[in-house]
Amino acid sequence: MKRILLLAALIIPCLFSCKENKHSMLKGRIEAIKELEYEADEKFGTPVKGDLCKVTIFIFDKNNNVMEQTVYDEYGDKDYRIKYDYNDKNEFISLVVTDDDNDTIYIQEIISRDGNRETFVEKNFYKYLSSKTIDTTIDTVHYELDKNGYKKTSIRIESDGTKSKTDYNINNKGELLELIWYYGIGDSIRQRQTYEYDNNGLLIKTNTYN
């Protein structure tokens, strides 16, 4: 079992509310959050902070939606950046991920939203430095949502037709408590992760079971 310890530091001394993410317990208005992630060892059942793994900067728009997320490695070099887009109803519609060279490596776009079901298209771009070529795969992901609008189950259909299922356990606060990945769309579990939060709703520990 792998454990990760997260320490979060607020850049702007105000709070926000954001649905279905690790900061969902925070209230008010915020412009940015700086999150520090450390490796963790376990002593007498308690996680102990180790070396710094990465630093993530979250930037928010006027509606308290995550607008931009930049991840840096332990040396301070940029790893990747995610930019999010929302419609006039304040609903998430797309995101774009760029690497440390500012090249696009991933795009997610919603193509349908109907009641408790959403369908996204995901495009992955693979760069080959030796030949300076880029391959693209396009997957379709169907989500079933619970009564609160949070993800409950997803079915992924890859470019070659391969299907896989993921279950989500999200509480009424919007905190992700558990993820379960399956082999195919059956009941055989491939991997499971659980998440723990502090009293402020910040993620402090991730447990991975293979």
Side-chain angles (χ1 to χ4, degrees):
M1 181 177 68
K2 180 181 179 182
R3 292 175 181 259
I4 293 177
L5 179 67
L6 291 177
L7 296 184
L10 298 184
I11 297 178
I12 308 299
C14 49
L15 305 176
F16 74 102
S17 175
C18 190
K19 178 181 176 182
E20 196 182 335
N21 65 65
K22 69 186 72 176
H23 311 294
S24 60
M25 288 296 291
L26 302 178
K27 307 295 182 180
R29 176 72 176 97
I30 193 169
E31 294 182 4
I33 282 181
K34 181 179 182 180
E35 182 180 88
L36 309 178
E37 182 175 322
Y38 295 86
E39 293 181 351
D41 296 321
E42 184 176 298
K43 292 185 178 180
F44 306 108
T46 301
V48 179
K49 185 176 71 174
D51 296 331
L52 180 68
C53 295
K54 66 181 181 181
V55 177
T56 305
I57 306 294
F58 298 90
I59 306 296
F60 301 86
D61 63 18
K62 63 181 181 180
N63 296 313
N64 290 334
N65 297 310
V66 178
M67 182 174 61
E68 186 174 291
Q69 176 181 344
T70 306
V71 178
Y72 301 88
D73 63 20
E74 65 270 33
Y75 304 108
D77 297 323
K78 189 180 78 171
D79 191 1
Y80 61 89
R81 174 173 291 149
I82 308 174
K83 292 187 177 181
Y84 302 83
D85 194 18
Y86 305 85
N87 62 18
D88 294 338
K89 297 179 181 179
N90 210 31
E91 297 171 329
F92 167 76
I93 56 174
S94 67
L95 64 81
V96 177
V97 183
T98 54
D99 62 14
D100 57 341
D101 293 322
N102 293 321
D103 293 326
T104 299
I105 58 175
Y106 176 83
I107 295 175
Q108 184 187 68
E109 298 174 310
I110 189 165
I111 59 175
S112 71
R113 179 178 280 126
D114 181 18
N116 69 332
R117 298 183 184 277
E118 296 179 337
T119 300
F120 287 84
V121 167
E122 298 184 356
K123 301 177 182 178
N124 290 278
F125 302 88
Y126 301 93
K127 295 193 302 182
Y128 298 93
L129 299 180
S130 58
S131 59
K132 296 183 179 180
T133 59
I134 298 178
D135 283 348
T136 305
T137 63
I138 301 177
D139 299 346
T140 302
V141 186
H142 302 279
Y143 291 99
E144 180 182 351
L145 310 179
D146 64 19
K147 62 181 180 180
N148 295 313
Y150 300 143
K151 295 182 182 69
K152 181 179 178 181
T153 300
S154 69
I155 301 295
R156 175 181 297 275
I157 305 174
E158 299 180 14
S159 299
D160 62 1
T162 301
K163 296 181 180 180
S164 58
K165 183 176 71 170
T166 304
D167 284 344
Y168 305 78
N169 181 5
I170 300 174
N171 64 20
N172 293 332
K173 300 175 183 178
E175 298 169 342
L176 177 62
L177 303 180
E178 182 181 46
L179 274 176
I180 301 176
W181 293 272
Y182 296 88
Y183 290 103
I185 56 175
D187 296 324
S188 180
I189 296 176
R190 178 169 57 88
Q191 189 179 74
R192 174 174 169 261
Q193 280 189 344
T194 61
Y195 307 91
E196 298 179 27
Y197 303 82
D198 64 15
N199 293 332
N200 293 315
L202 296 176
L203 180 66
I204 57 173
K205 187 166 65 175
T206 299
N207 303 314
T208 301
Y209 306 89
N210 295 309

